[in-house]
Amino acid sequence: MGRVYNFSAGPAVLPEEVLKEAAEEMLDYNGTGMSVMEMSHRSKAYETIIKEAEQDLRDLMNIPDNYKVLFLQGGASQQFAMIPMNLMKNKVADFIITGQWAKKAYQEAQIYGKANAIASSADKTFSYIPDCSELPISEDADYVYICENNTIYGTKFKQLPNTKGKTLVADVSSCFLSEPVDVSKYGVIYGGVQKNVGPAGVVIVIIREDLITEDTLPGTPTMLKYKIHAENESLYNTPPAYGIYICGKVFKWLKKLGGLSAMKELNEKKAAILYDFLDQSKLFKGTVVKEDRSLMNVPFITGNDEIDAKFIKEAKAAGFENLKGHRSVGGMRASIYNAMPIKGVEKLVEFMKKFEEENTK
Ligand SMILES: Cc1ncc(COP(=O)(O)O)c(C=O)c1O
């Protein structure tokens, strides 16, 4: 069997070119006679890999010099705790609740201090992004937290919230490197890489230097201090070495394709193929308000659970994998990350058209 079109929300499709290169280098990386998997993280060869990965990411995102780039473990979920442990000096933080991942971060922060939900879109099943131009930001908030792209519900902040000068912390797990960002607007940008950047096991944290301090909450484990990882350039302990190597390859692939502006253009084009179809379909319907639609995760329904299940089954048989919506919401979801070729989306829409014809008689 050849490769399928994989619409998984994560771990997700990676560029074929990157996978092929990694395969070629599997037994002998660059004349070292060993795989990157077998290599000391303190070796010269690995030092080059991690340094280049960081530099390529800095180039792609135009990361200012006063920000550190950390390659960590524990997934995005560990950051739900690590962020308050390191940043909650006043023990207050404000959260915008736009879905399950924001809610989980909010709930975790409650362990460490006062977490306030200052806006939410729970009233309409998280199908929109609340107006964040005039929020009741807490006077003593250490930061304002958002989940910038909501993987499960398919919404994206098109405009960052007005934090009234407070530090913005953003989970970008499912929109990482999908378009250009102005890093200077954030205190912390972080994401698990297993959606748009690489294999599961690596979380990248981009953090402004003044937020990295000795002054963490009492009891913060050494491994959960940003300072330790920053001082040791992500090599305090054994990092997720192979995963970082693959991320590095994806960074080079993105640079070759023209960087994040080119990616944005391509992602807009790709998403439009699907959204335009959904907007005129008699069977399928998108679930998100137009202005807040994600370019990465596209949820849709037919309104009939049986037809949804039939669609998912027939799509799978036709080589379109992982179109089932998140287990908490049902329906369908097509995740169309950077590495999903435009042809994959075109073929999916072709298949949906055919299914619609057969099922609306
Ligand atoms: C936006 C977002 N944040 C956090 C997570 C949790 O990530 P992890 O499984 O790496 O902890 C996910 C998905 O799995 C996600 O989509």
Side-chain angles (χ1 to χ4, degrees):
M1 185 172 163
R3 279 175 64 78
V4 296
Y5 288 116
N6 180 7
F7 294 93
S8 170
V13 58
L14 284 169
E16 214 167 290
E17 211 177 299
V18 165
L19 296 176
K20 279 188 180 145
E21 239 182 68
E24 275 163 25
E25 294 172 353
M26 183 58 78
L27 296 181
D28 176 9
Y29 174 75
N30 205 14
T32 57
M34 60 178 91
S35 166
V36 173
M37 259 185 239
E38 304 168 300
M39 197 175 271
S40 164
H41 59 293
R42 312 258 175 226
S43 65
K44 198 85 207 130
Y46 195 73
E47 192 188 327
T48 307
I49 290 172
I50 193 167
K51 286 271 173 292
E52 268 187 32
E54 175 174 344
Q55 190 55 53
D56 286 334
L57 181 64
R58 285 185 175 277
D59 296 346
L60 279 169
M61 292 180 74
N62 207 3
I63 300 175
D65 288 344
N66 63 325
Y67 284 73
K68 288 276 188 213
V69 173
L70 309 175
F71 296 101
L72 306 178
Q73 307 192 50
S77 300
Q78 186 163 280
Q79 294 305 308
F80 299 169
M82 201 163 165
I83 291 161
M85 283 176 152
N86 285 269
L87 264 55
M88 259 193 181
K89 315 288 182 201
N90 298 328
K91 298 205 173 183
V92 180
D94 290 346
F95 287 75
I96 299 170
I97 313 294
T98 52
Q100 281 195 30
W101 298 114
K103 195 168 156 199
K104 283 195 170 158
Y106 162 66
Q107 285 167 338
E108 188 73 7
Q110 286 169 4
I111 299 172
Y112 305 100
K114 191 163 182 295
N116 305 305
I118 56 166
S120 167
S121 51
D123 60 336
K124 289 184 182 152
T125 333
F126 302 115
S127 58
Y128 70 103
I129 298 289
D131 177 3
C132 296
S133 55
E134 183 49 54
L135 294 170
I137 307 280
S138 309
E139 285 274 307
D140 50 353
D142 293 302
Y143 57 90
V144 176
Y145 183 101
I146 62 167
C147 178
E148 194 162 329
N149 186 83
N150 296 281
T151 326
I152 297 172
Y153 300 95
T155 57
K156 159 100 204 299
F157 281 81
K158 299 291 162 82
Q159 231 181 339
L160 294 176
N162 174 6
T163 64
K164 301 183 181 166
K166 302 292 184 196
T167 297
L168 179 65
V169 174
D171 173 357
V172 299
S173 294
S174 49
C175 59
F176 224 154
L177 302 178
S178 62
E179 56 184 300
V181 284
D182 182 351
V183 175
S184 70
K185 293 204 166 117
Y186 304 77
V188 180
I189 305 182
Y190 80 94
V193 304
Q194 69 270 23
K195 295 163 196 301
N196 220 5
V197 188
V202 183
V203 58
I204 297 177
V205 177
I206 300 161
I207 177 168
R208 215 175 54 222
E209 273 169 358
D210 61 281
L211 298 170
I212 305 173
T213 66
E214 205 70 77
D215 177 26
T216 54
L217 296 185
T220 301
T222 305
M223 273 295 286
L224 298 189
K225 293 180 178 174
Y226 288 129
K227 194 161 198 296
I228 277 287
H229 294 289
E231 280 173 355
N232 290 280
E233 301 187 325
S234 302
L235 293 167
Y236 169 69
N237 72 324
T238 317
Y242 193 81
I244 295 168
Y245 152 78
I246 300 291
C247 291
K249 287 202 176 297
V250 172
F251 300 154
K252 288 194 189 302
W253 176 77
L254 287 167
K255 278 178 116 174
K256 208 168 79 185
L257 289 181
L260 301 190
S261 307
M263 234 34 241
K264 181 180 187 197
E265 214 173 289
L266 188 62
N267 286 328
E268 282 175 343
K269 205 164 143 193
K270 251 163 40 184
I273 296 170
L274 193 44
Y275 285 125
D276 287 350
F277 169 71
L278 289 172
D279 286 343
Q280 59 76 58
S281 170
K282 288 188 188 65
L283 181 65
F284 298 102
K285 194 166 116 262
T287 55
V288 170
V289 302
K290 274 193 189 174
E291 56 275 21
D292 299 328
R293 284 167 163 177
S294 165
L295 291 180
M296 298 281 100
N297 311 99
V298 183
F300 55 95
I301 51 169
T302 65
N304 177 323
D305 290 349
E306 265 170 46
I307 298 182
D308 284 358
K310 184 169 183 246
F311 173 76
I312 292 160
K313 191 167 162 230
E314 289 182 17
K316 186 177 165 67
F320 305 99
E321 288 272 353
N322 292 313
L323 282 166
K324 201 166 189 303
H326 189 268
R327 60 191 191 282
S328 63
V329 293
M332 282 76 72
R333 172 179 51 176
S335 294
I336 49 174
Y337 296 119
N338 286 348
M340 171 56 66
I342 196 157
K343 193 158 160 242
V345 182
E346 284 166 355
K347 291 258 181 209
L348 174 65
V349 166
E350 223 174 86
F351 178 80
M352 288 169 78
K353 276 183 187 157
K354 190 168 139 272
F355 184 89
E356 177 172 320
E357 272 165 31
E358 289 166 4
N359 290 275
T360 48
K361 274 171 205 153

